[in-house]
Amino acid sequence: KYCRTPLHELGYPSSVSGLVQNLINGHDAYTTLEAGSEDIHLLLSDPERFLFDWNNAAPQSGIVHLSFRKHKLYGRENEVSRITDAFCRVSSGKNEAFFIGGYSGSGKSRLVNSLAARVDTSGGYVLSEKVDQMHKERPLLGVLSAFNNLCGLIKQKCSPGELHEVSNKLTKEFESDFSVLVRLLPKVDALSPQLKSTQMVRGSGDQMNFHNICFILQRFMRVISSPTH
């Protein structure tokens, strides 16, 4: 008579042994192949939580504490869905913005950060800027910092051909005003060597008011905002 040795006796974790045993014996734990595949996926994707040994996981008191997945956002499925849908609409060429409000510590940053990897994988750009007392006194400082960092992200994600196209569009859009753009966003000249050669340094006495700065940023966004970048 053939005798099977349980996998946990061979040194495998109890969770793996139990999964295989249920599949072999045809227990009701897995009524479909998809259900078994989902459990295998959990073992592979989050081994710290699911790849355990019951003998080590259960304390002497017999009380097993709940184990939550790291970096998993709970109870915000509706908000995640709405923001994801908005990103998909913006990716197709529409203009849209989301304002997330709430008390300090309510999870605003956690909600946004949970979507960062998804946006980055989809070809989008994730920009963040912390507003402190200095930024409150100069409200555009944080905006300019975020736009400046955007230039660096564009360089990282775009191919040489795409960067050449962007630099041509920026040069055509700003022409002699390009030096003004460089003063606001110093990293813009990193997009292409061609942009460095077109810089025209103006005197430090030139001043730009709020409306001038907003107008320059709007022109910049019109150039770089497209489904490709």
Side-chain angles (χ1 to χ4, degrees), residues 3-36:
C3 180
R4 297 190 185 93
T5 302
L7 290 180
H8 70 271
E9 295 183 7
L10 299 176
Y12 290 90
S14 299
S15 55
V16 175
S17 177
L19 184 149
V20 174
Q21 195 71 24
N22 287 334
L23 290 173
I24 293 176
N25 296 338
H27 290 170
D28 293 337
Y30 299 111
T31 56
T32 65
L33 181 61
E34 182 180 1

Side-chain angles (χ1 to χ4, degrees), residues 81-198:
S81 177
R82 292 176 62 186
I83 297 175
T84 302
D85 291 343
F87 172 73
C88 293
R89 291 191 294 269
V90 170
S91 299
S92 63
K94 296 184 178 180
N95 297 323
E96 196 165 341
F98 244 96
F99 177 80
I100 302 175
Y103 294 105
S104 177
S106 60
K108 301 184 295 298
S109 298
R110 184 71 184 88
L111 172 61
V112 174
N113 292 336
S114 69
L115 296 165
R118 190 179 307 180
V119 171
D120 185 70
T121 303
S122 302
Y125 299 99
V126 179
L127 300 170
S128 62
E129 187 68 26
K130 184 176 179 60
V131 178
D132 53 23
Q133 187 60 40
M134 182 177 64
H135 285 170
K136 289 181 180 179
E137 296 174 356
R138 302 178 62 185
L140 281 179
L141 199 61
V143 176
L144 292 175
S145 177
F147 271 74
N148 205 33
N149 291 333
L150 175 59
C151 296
L153 291 177
I154 293 175
K155 182 181 180 181
Q156 293 175 13
K157 287 194 172 186
C158 289
S159 65
E162 291 170 336
L163 289 176
H164 182 70
E165 180 184 354
V166 171
S167 63
N168 285 338
K169 289 181 178 179
L170 287 173
T171 303
K172 183 178 179 180
E173 169 68 27
F174 287 94
E175 296 182 340
S176 60
D177 290 334
F178 186 78
S179 59
V180 180
L181 177 63
V182 174
R183 286 176 55 197
L184 292 177
L185 309 176
K187 289 184 180 180
V188 74
D189 63 1
L191 297 180
S192 172
Q194 175 185 349
L195 297 180
K196 294 183 179 181
S197 62
T198 60

